[in-house]
Amino acid sequence: MHRRRRTALTLSAALLAAAPLLTACGNDAHPGAAAVVGGERIDVSSLQAQVRDVRDAQQESPQAAELIKNTGQLSQVKLNSMIFDEILRKAADDAGVKASRKDIQNTRQAAAQQSGGEDQLAAMLLQQGALTPGQIDAAIRREVLMSKLAQSLGANTATPEGQQQVLAVLVKTSEDLGIDVNPRYGAWDTKQVRLGEAKTPWLTQVTKEAPPEQAPTGA
């Protein structure tokens, strides 16, 4: 299996899998908000900007029609990642771990080298993860934080037990923050730490192809 598939993308995807306890907020309670996490708004405009950037990048690809067809629920997927990032940031803060700029740069350089260069990495992540070049660092930060969080817990995420150990922390953090999602985008599944209505077939495929060497987990 190619090492290049072990990117931020594979990490975020694997976490988004495990039952009920759905919560949602209405437009009247939080007008203009796609979601509210720990009292902080994720604005619809911010979500739409991420989706628009991806669609613009996909339109420039020779595989534009296929890419767009395979990412039909892009708004839900992007919102899922934005919410998850807030949960992960809180869990990492509580554990006393951070992702430095150097961590992100080193991880991105390694991923680019494994992929054959920055252009190849960007093309792969657009195709397999609906990520634009400007969104890659955020995904890599997610990977770094996941890895450091697992290390801080002493969790061996190559095992189901270790993955469950990390997931339990994220579930607890999700519950503590309280996730309100605008119903137009689905409902938040606290136990699975994901948007219940967000289907991510392309991320799932990447996850299946990637060796589970670091942490469990996508946009």
Side-chain angles (χ1 to χ4, degrees), residues 34 45 49-50 53 72 103-104 109 119-120 122 131 144 157 173 176 179 186-188 192 194-195 198-199 207-208 215:
S45 59
Q50 286 208 16
D53 287 347
D103 291 332
I104 294 168
Q109 287 172 1
D119 290 345
Q120 289 81 355
L131 293 170
V144 172
T157 54
T173 304
D176 290 345
I179 313 297
W188 187 252
Q192 296 191 52
R194 71 173 179 184
L195 262 179
K199 306 297 184 182
T207 304
K208 288 179 180 178

Side-chain angles (χ1 to χ4, degrees), residues 124-144:
M124 182 185 73
L125 291 181
L126 177 62
Q127 180 181 18
Q128 298 181 349
L131 293 170
T132 67
Q135 296 170 357
I136 293 175
D137 277 358
I140 290 177
R141 181 181 293 107
R142 190 178 309 136
E143 176 177 358
V144 172

Side-chain angles (χ1 to χ4, degrees), residues 44-183:
V44 171
S45 59
S46 298
L47 171 62
Q48 290 176 338
Q50 286 208 16
V51 172
R52 183 170 58 250
D53 287 347
V54 172
R55 291 302 187 212
D56 289 346
Q58 288 175 331
Q59 289 285 2
E60 295 177 2
S61 170
Q63 295 84 34
E66 181 181 359
L67 292 178
I68 294 171
K69 177 182 178 181
N70 290 338
T71 55
Q73 291 185 312
L74 187 57
S75 293
Q76 287 88 343
V77 171
K78 286 300 179 183
L79 180 57
N80 187 83
S81 294
M82 295 169 81
I83 295 172
F84 180 79
D85 282 346
E86 295 302 315
I87 296 169
L88 179 57
R89 184 178 295 112
K90 178 64 165 61
D93 284 346
D94 290 346
V97 298
K98 298 183 181 299
S100 69
R101 178 172 296 184
K102 184 176 181 180
D103 291 332
I104 294 168
Q105 289 175 340
N106 289 344
T107 303
R108 181 163 181 164
Q109 287 172 1
Q113 185 175 19
Q114 293 166 8
S115 303
E118 270 285 342
D119 290 345
Q120 289 81 355
L121 176 65
M124 182 185 73
L125 291 181
L126 177 62
Q127 180 181 18
Q128 298 181 349
L131 293 170
T132 67
Q135 296 170 357
I136 293 175
D137 277 358
I140 290 177
R141 181 181 293 107
R142 190 178 309 136
E143 176 177 358
V144 172
L145 284 178
M146 282 295 303
S147 179
K148 289 191 173 185
L149 177 61
Q151 290 173 11
S152 74
L153 297 171
N156 178 5
T157 54
T159 67
E161 294 78 13
Q163 293 173 13
Q164 286 299 314
Q165 188 177 350
V166 176
L167 181 61
V169 170
L170 295 171
V171 168
K172 177 63 165 57
T173 304
S174 176
E175 291 172 343
D176 290 345
L177 285 173
I179 313 297
D180 288 338
V181 176
N182 187 319

